[in-house]
Amino acid sequence: MLLGSLHRLNCRRTLLFLIPCLVLPFMSQAATAKEPVKLIFDTDLGDDIDDAMSLATIHALQSRGECELLAVTIVKDNELSGPAANAINTFYGRPDIPVGVVKKGVRPQESRFTGSLTNTKNGDKQRYPHTLLSGNDAPEATEVLRKTLVAQPDHSVVIAQVGYMTNLARLLNSPPDEISPLNGRDLVAKKVKLLSIMAGNFGPAKNKPEFNVVQDLASSKKLLTDWPTPVVISGYEIGLNIRYPWQSVEKDFGYVKHHPVHESYLAWDKKPHERPTWDLTSVLYAVRPDHGYFGLSDPGTSTVDDRKLTQFEFDPEGLHRYLTVTPEQIIRVREALVQLTSQPPDVLPEQ
């Protein structure tokens, strides 16, 4: 009896000793867990399907606690691009994310897929519900950018910019106003930590002008010259070499009858095809810069010359770097993007 009591007492003492040992590592991990990346997404949604896929990836990362999507700003001057962003945000359960749109911008051409997102109905209901019915009803992107930045802690915001550079160039040029006494450049320097952009060529196609750069050439030159924070550039060659697998398009979005990314992908081109992940790579780096998905060039400065070509001059004091990728990293990035892009919303919408 006595020996049994002593044994039970020793067991309790051992358990009391072990509990702190088991709990403290978890407490330590929680204490050192990174805060979600405060993210602004500036996009030419409608020009290519990778913008829609990038927005899906952002929502998956937010559901995992890795980022907080503060705002979406649209750089394509088409009235359906803003509503399409609102529809995707609503599908993922976040209808209140602010959407700002460019005014008097470029590329007003109709999209292959934004109309199907915004105009298709199931009976008398929107297939993809959205409250923003026209970009004409949305606030101007510069206003949304300034309001969003002012509300955030200093040096905390990451911007993923995956279209032409009109909105961010206009932000740099914006004067002090009722939103902030700072001009745009000073506001960016105060609030932004990193700009992750998809632009330019740094691989075999470096002697060809790149789409995002040339659509608004003056804004591209302005941004690359005057942006005051670190910039990481995902060049054309990165996304070109990391293509989204067609098998995933066919099989991974069937958890709902109608999925905005799946239907947009097919509206872009119904034939089996694997789109390059240009914009997705900038988003992935913006939120997960320390995962080893990519390499980084040495620092330097990127510019656009008179032939509309992206140049890079290495300089230890430069604020710019560009992404590199190995065959092994390509495999990892593809796998990560499939998992994120196809991840279901936290709550499946009624359809």
Side-chain angles (χ1 to χ4, degrees), residues 45-315:
L45 181 65
D47 274 342
D48 202 336
I49 186 58
D50 55 340
D51 297 84
M53 298 170 74
S54 296
L55 193 48
T57 296
I58 291 170
H59 282 289
L61 288 163
Q62 179 156 338
S63 293
R64 294 170 182 234
E66 296 183 50
C67 74
E68 177 188 1
L69 181 57
L70 303 175
V72 178
T73 49
I74 306 295
V75 74
K76 179 178 174 64
D77 194 3
N78 181 281
E79 65 174 328
L80 294 183
S81 291
N86 181 228
I88 295 173
N89 291 342
T90 302
F91 176 86
Y92 284 97
R94 302 182 179 101
D96 298 327
I97 292 172
V99 176
V101 303
V102 70
K103 306 290 185 179
K104 297 181 180 179
V106 299
R107 297 283 301 173
Q109 295 91 332
E110 290 187 8
S111 167
R112 298 187 198 178
F113 64 89
T114 54
S116 64
L117 287 184
T118 56
N119 296 330
T120 303
K121 291 189 175 182
N122 293 339
D124 60 352
K125 295 182 179 180
Q126 296 171 335
R127 173 170 292 181
Y128 301 109
H130 56 286
T131 55
L132 179 60
L133 301 180
S134 170
N136 297 325
D137 302 325
E140 203 275 330
T142 306
E143 175 187 342
V144 171
L145 288 167
R146 288 181 64 84
K147 285 183 176 179
T148 303
L149 291 176
V150 163
Q152 300 306 315
D154 292 353
H155 310 298
S156 69
V157 177
V158 174
I159 300 178
Q161 199 281 326
V162 297
Y164 13 105
M165 304 182 195
T166 312
N167 285 338
L168 297 191
R170 290 181 181 181
L171 171 62
L172 290 176
N173 285 329
S174 62
D177 56 14
E178 65 278 2
I179 299 172
S180 171
L182 299 177
N183 63 42
R185 191 179 189 280
D186 290 344
L187 183 60
V188 167
K190 182 177 176 65
K191 297 294 184 178
V192 174
K193 177 169 64 174
L194 172 71
L195 173 61
S196 177
I197 64 175
M198 190 275 122
N201 288 312
F202 304 97
K206 63 183 180 181
N207 291 323
K208 295 181 180 180
E210 192 274 321
F211 179 86
N212 284 346
V213 169
V214 302
Q215 299 308 311
D216 184 351
L217 195 60
S219 291
S220 298
K221 292 181 176 181
K222 170 72 178 179
L223 184 141
L224 291 174
T225 300
D226 289 349
W227 193 265
T229 78
V231 178
V232 172
I233 308 170
S234 180
Y236 175 85
E237 68 281 358
I238 299 297
L240 184 68
N241 285 296
I242 309 172
R243 294 178 178 261
Y244 195 87
W246 174 249
Q247 185 179 25
S248 174
V249 177
E250 287 187 303
K251 297 182 178 180
D252 291 343
F253 297 88
Y255 49 80
V256 288
K257 185 176 181 180
H258 302 290
H259 195 292
V261 171
H262 178 259
E263 293 189 359
S264 295
Y265 201 106
L266 296 181
W268 176 261
D269 190 345
K270 295 186 185 302
K271 298 188 299 293
H273 66 288
E274 298 193 344
R275 290 299 295 163
T277 60
W278 289 301
D279 296 350
L280 290 84
T281 59
S282 283
V283 165
L284 189 63
Y285 182 83
V287 180
R288 292 180 172 179
D290 301 324
H291 277 56
Y293 291 131
F294 307 99
L296 283 176
S297 73
D298 290 334
T301 301
S302 182
T303 57
V304 183
D305 65 20
D306 293 338
R307 299 171 296 165
K308 305 180 182 179
L309 301 179
T310 310
Q311 304 293 343
F312 195 91
E313 183 175 349
F314 292 102
D315 179 356

